[in-house]
Amino acid sequence: MKNPFTAPRQRGWLLAAASLGLSLALPPRLAQAQAAMPPAKVEALKKELMAEIDKQQKATQQMVDMVFSFGELGFQETETSRYLTGILQKNGFKVQMGIAGVPTAWMATWGSGKPVIAIGSDIDCIPKASQKPGVAYHDPIIEGAPGHGEGHNSGVPLNITAVLALKKIMEREKIPGTIMLWPGVAEEQLGTKAYFVRDGYFKNVDACIFTHVGDNLGVSWGDGGGNGLISVKFNFDGQAAHSAGAPWRGRSALDAVELMDIGWNFHREHMEVTQRSHYVIPDGGDQPNVVPSKASVWYYFRERTYPKIMEMYADAQKMAEGATLMTKTTVTHEVLGSAWPGHMNKAIAEDMYQNIRLVGLPQWSAADQVLARATQVEMKAPKTDRRNRPIDGLATRLDSLTAPETFSIGGGSDDIADISWNVPTVVLRYPANIPGLPGHHWSNAISMATPIAHKGVTAGAKAEAMTLLDMLVKPEVLKDAWTYFTNVQTKDTKYIPLVSATDKPAITLNQGIMAQYRPEMKKFYYNPAKYKSYLEQLGIAYPTVRPAAALKASGTN
């Protein structure tokens, strides 16, 4: 791959670094020294960044609402990618489409020289999660259609808001550096980031900031306690026959799937508590009167370490072979995605948290809190979260800087972890969602095209933009980041890809679902030229809640 980050550094900044007595002994990727900016100047620029991002609130709202209205599943984010890259191209970014063989993936770059900082966020949505925003009960825009039931419509708009504000300052102050924006395609399938790494797109990157929707403004470092995984589909082949007329002539591929699943479910009793494994049967045959000649089962195998993930994968292959012996069928398998267990950078997280404190949480309106509390009532949200913090409306107190988990029984996965093992990385969480919801669910879409999301994205953009500025003008941030990455994170653990050199992204996933629903969904795409907000376009009074829920939410019951 041609390296897009080879432009020379500006000589004046090197001379400035030398005059300040700065060491040029930076990590290998930072082959040239960064120039330090006086603290007072940095503080003034941060105030300017926050003011500029406040000015962009309308543009931010339009981006958040537009991507929400597209509601595209993984690998099929065509409208989303076209829209977002169009904005970046209009603002001077060079866009490369189809990276790593994924049609909806892209890389947008602006600037020149070192450091090269990658900024990413996911763009895909959730099956059957269609939901009208601002309505605190189940009310789909289109019944059965996909929707942003996690909130991935908000992250790239946050990143664009942050970098466009930063770009103005970089141009005026002649600050060198390269900004690289990219989307997490098919994150729900853990489908692309390992391929981005494998194919060299992060080879010359010096640091990465990733943004992910949350219910508070926060960041963490170290091992977050989540699991890695490998996503595998097993395809069984048998022989068709008349199910009543000559069943003895058939070899049921569905029998093989069911026997494999039975074997795995018995196996769970003897597995460590840190494992998570789950499956769906995407193909179980055509109709009951025909012995299924083809059937498939799709597994996620999750564990806390690379060796344990690979052990699960090997066990599953043995069970699949056992199922073929019992049914006289054959089996092949294909890797559909993967993710390492994550590990985030301490130095960048500490710097980012100081910026988070400068920003603080948004000022939620009474309407925002009524929507949140009514949704919590509707969804029977727990009274406290897993860290024993109360759940009551939207967060009004900042999260602390989260240190590594001392012990974890496992949990979810995110393929940003693959990038975190190749370049110093942090994940900025921003408050666009409602606390206490189940996740991957239509209820998580309720806030995602409302003032809650708009305010949360603006707050996140401020924290991100200021951290990016620190990376550019405070040499110690990236120097300390690489010291931690080299001497702590990767000292004893080395990254081994879970995908092979011959595996390919599963770009056909979700094609059928989007082909079914997209024609009707197009009728509901947001039109910002005609409507101030998506709520207005849909004719939704904000907030819309059940009368009983409104009483409970307002505390008057």
Side-chain angles (χ1 to χ4, degrees), residues 117-407:
I117 304 173
I119 304 106
S121 199
D122 300 319
I123 57 173
D124 58 330
C125 74
I126 303 292
K128 296 182 174 63
S130 178
Q131 171 65 25
K132 291 177 183 175
V135 179
Y137 49 84
H138 193 207
D139 190 8
I141 299 172
I142 299 170
E143 185 66 48
H148 275 288
E150 180 163 349
H152 286 175
N153 61 298
S154 55
V156 175
L158 184 160
N159 294 344
I160 292 175
T161 300
V163 301
L164 292 185
L166 180 68
K167 178 175 178 282
K168 288 185 178 182
I169 288 176
M170 290 178 68
E171 288 174 324
R172 188 189 70 215
E173 302 293 329
K174 296 181 172 54
I175 300 173
T178 303
I179 301 298
M180 168 182 146
L181 269 73
W182 57 280
V185 168
E187 186 275 336
E188 302 302 343
Q189 286 77 50
L190 290 308
T192 55
K193 297 186 186 79
Y195 294 104
F196 297 165
V197 171
R198 186 194 69 181
D199 294 349
Y201 291 97
F202 286 81
K203 184 178 180 181
N204 297 298
V205 170
D206 298 303
C208 176
I209 293 179
F210 197 74
T211 57
H212 197 283
V213 62
D215 54 38
N216 207 310
L217 189 59
V219 66
S220 59
W221 62 274
D223 182 348
N227 285 354
L229 71 75
I230 191 163
S231 166
V232 188
K233 187 169 75 160
F234 294 87
N235 302 303
F236 290 89
D237 279 281
Q239 181 174 309
H242 194 301
S243 296
W248 51 87
R249 297 184 66 177
R251 299 290 181 267
S252 175
L254 179 58
D255 286 353
V257 163
E258 292 184 291
L259 286 165
M260 179 183 179
D261 293 343
I262 290 169
W264 190 263
N265 287 330
F266 275 106
H267 183 48
R268 291 179 205 268
E269 180 183 356
H270 308 287
M271 299 174 72
E272 295 185 47
V273 296
T274 46
Q275 75 86 24
R276 301 286 191 279
S277 51
H278 21 268
Y279 61 89
V280 296
I281 300 175
D283 181 8
D286 298 305
Q287 55 193 50
N289 65 324
V290 179
V291 174
S293 62
K294 295 185 182 297
S296 59
V297 58
W298 180 11
Y299 272 87
Y300 280 10
F301 302 112
R302 304 187 198 244
E303 251 292 3
R304 293 280 290 127
T305 66
Y306 171 85
K308 289 182 179 180
I309 295 167
M310 296 305 289
E311 182 180 349
M312 292 176 74
Y313 182 22
D315 287 346
Q317 292 178 68
K318 292 176 184 177
M319 290 188 189
E321 289 296 332
T324 66
L325 295 175
M326 289 185 280
T327 55
K328 296 184 179 179
T329 58
T330 60
V331 66
T332 59
H333 67 272
E334 52 187 317
V335 173
L336 300 185
S338 71
W340 257 64
H343 192 116
M344 301 303 153
N345 191 267
K346 183 179 181 182
I348 301 175
E350 289 176 339
D351 182 84
M352 176 174 279
Y353 189 69
Q354 295 307 310
N355 291 315
I356 285 171
R357 292 179 64 185
L358 291 175
V359 176
L361 286 167
Q363 294 297 310
W364 308 118
S365 70
D368 298 334
Q369 290 288 16
V370 166
L371 180 69
R373 291 191 175 109
T375 302
Q376 289 161 349
V377 169
E378 182 77 17
M379 295 309 302
K380 299 179 174 61
K383 299 300 182 184
T384 59
D385 65 15
R386 66 189 187 100
R387 291 166 62 187
N388 206 35
R389 297 171 299 185
I391 294 174
D392 180 23
L394 300 168
T396 56
R397 183 177 179 180
L398 270 179
D399 267 347
S400 59
L401 175 62
T402 310
E405 293 271 357
T406 54
F407 173 75

Side-chain angles (χ1 to χ4, degrees), residues 21-93:
L22 296 177
S23 170
L24 301 186
L26 292 172
R29 295 190 188 189
L30 293 168
Q32 295 160 308
Q34 292 176 266
M37 183 178 283
K41 178 71 170 179
V42 176
E43 182 180 352
L45 291 180
K46 286 184 177 182
K47 290 179 180 178
E48 184 179 340
L49 279 171
M50 288 197 282
E52 178 62 29
I53 289 168
D54 278 333
K55 293 177 185 176
Q56 299 303 317
Q57 287 184 62
K58 183 60 181 176
T60 303
Q61 170 258 310
Q62 288 184 355
M63 287 189 286
V64 169
D65 287 6
M66 183 67 82
V67 180
F68 182 93
S69 74
F70 294 145
E72 296 174 302
L73 293 169
F75 289 113
Q76 310 306 320
E77 310 98 332
T78 53
E79 298 284 0
T80 300
S81 287
R82 184 183 300 116
Y83 170 71
L84 295 172
T85 56
I87 293 170
L88 290 166
Q89 286 173 322
K90 287 178 183 177
N91 283 278
F93 280 74

